[in-house]
């Protein structure tokens, strides 16, 4: 149990490091598209997150979770988890901007919190989950 907790914490730290790089690039892209290119929030947000997806999948698969399974099924699961996390991100961003009245820049930044939490949990438990090893069933009558 303690070993699994240690692995979980190491994976979380690695996931956050990958996420920091992706966040800087993604938020930079979003803010550039909003501020200088005049894009609206949703397309700028989508473009910002799209920039980091390929890097995120590659680094998290190889480095964070040390996954050696088939790439295509993991990529499909990754995109599904991304969709859920991204929907939570957009809902949070619009709520912070429209209901709370935060600046659109801060709303985008703070909306990364639920996105990151959902993405890590989904990646660990679904995308890159290690299959449970079946212990052989030993029949006590067989000897």
């Amino acid at each position: 149990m303690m070993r699994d907790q240690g692995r979980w914490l190491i994976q979380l730290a690695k996931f956050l490091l990958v996420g920091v790089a992706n966040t800087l690039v993604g938020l930079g892209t979003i803010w550039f598209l909003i501020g200088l290119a005049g894009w609206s929030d949703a397309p700028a947000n989508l473009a910002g997150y799209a920039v980091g997806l390929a890097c995120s999948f590659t680094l998290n698969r190889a480095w964070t979770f040390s996954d050696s399974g088939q790439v295509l099924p993991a990529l499909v699961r990754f995109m599904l988890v991304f969709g859920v996390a991204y929907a939570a991100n957009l809902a949070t961003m619009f709520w912070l901007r429209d209901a709370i009245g935060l600046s659109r820049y801060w709303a985008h930044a703070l909306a990364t919190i639920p996105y990151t939490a959902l993405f890590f949990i989904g990646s660990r438990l679904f995308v890159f989950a290690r299959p449970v090893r079946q212990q052989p069933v030993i029949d006590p009558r067989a000897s």
Side-chain angles (χ1 to χ4, degrees):
M1 177 137 160
M2 195 69 162
R3 184 176 173 185
D4 188 52
Q5 185 179 17
R7 184 175 60 212
W8 181 90
L9 290 173
I10 290 169
Q11 287 176 336
L12 178 60
K14 288 179 174 182
F15 187 85
L16 292 173
L17 286 173
V18 170
V20 166
N22 288 333
T23 298
L24 292 174
V25 170
L27 281 175
T29 300
I30 291 167
W31 291 349
F32 170 80
L33 292 173
I34 289 171
L36 297 177
W39 287 30
S40 63
D41 288 316
N45 192 280
L46 181 60
Y49 278 88
V51 167
L53 274 179
C55 177
S56 176
F57 177 76
T58 303
L59 289 175
N60 281 313
R61 180 175 182 268
W63 185 55
T64 305
F65 298 104
S66 302
D67 181 64
S68 59
Q70 294 182 352
V71 174
L72 188 57
L75 181 59
V76 169
R77 291 189 303 269
F78 183 82
M79 293 308 294
L80 288 170
V81 170
F82 165 74
V84 170
Y86 182 70
N89 170 272
L90 276 181
T92 302
M93 182 275 299
F94 284 121
W95 176 74
L96 289 170
R97 188 194 69 186
D98 298 341
I100 303 298
L102 272 180
S103 124
R104 63 199 305 200
Y105 299 100
W106 280 108
H108 281 285
L110 292 174
T112 63
I113 295 168
Y115 170 85
T116 302
L118 288 170
F119 215 161
F120 175 73
I121 292 166
S123 291
R124 187 170 199 290
L125 299 178
F126 179 62
V127 177
F128 304 113
R130 294 184 177 169
V132 176
R133 292 186 188 147
Q134 295 291 333
Q135 296 295 328
V137 176
I138 300 173
D139 186 351
R141 296 172 291 172
S143 32

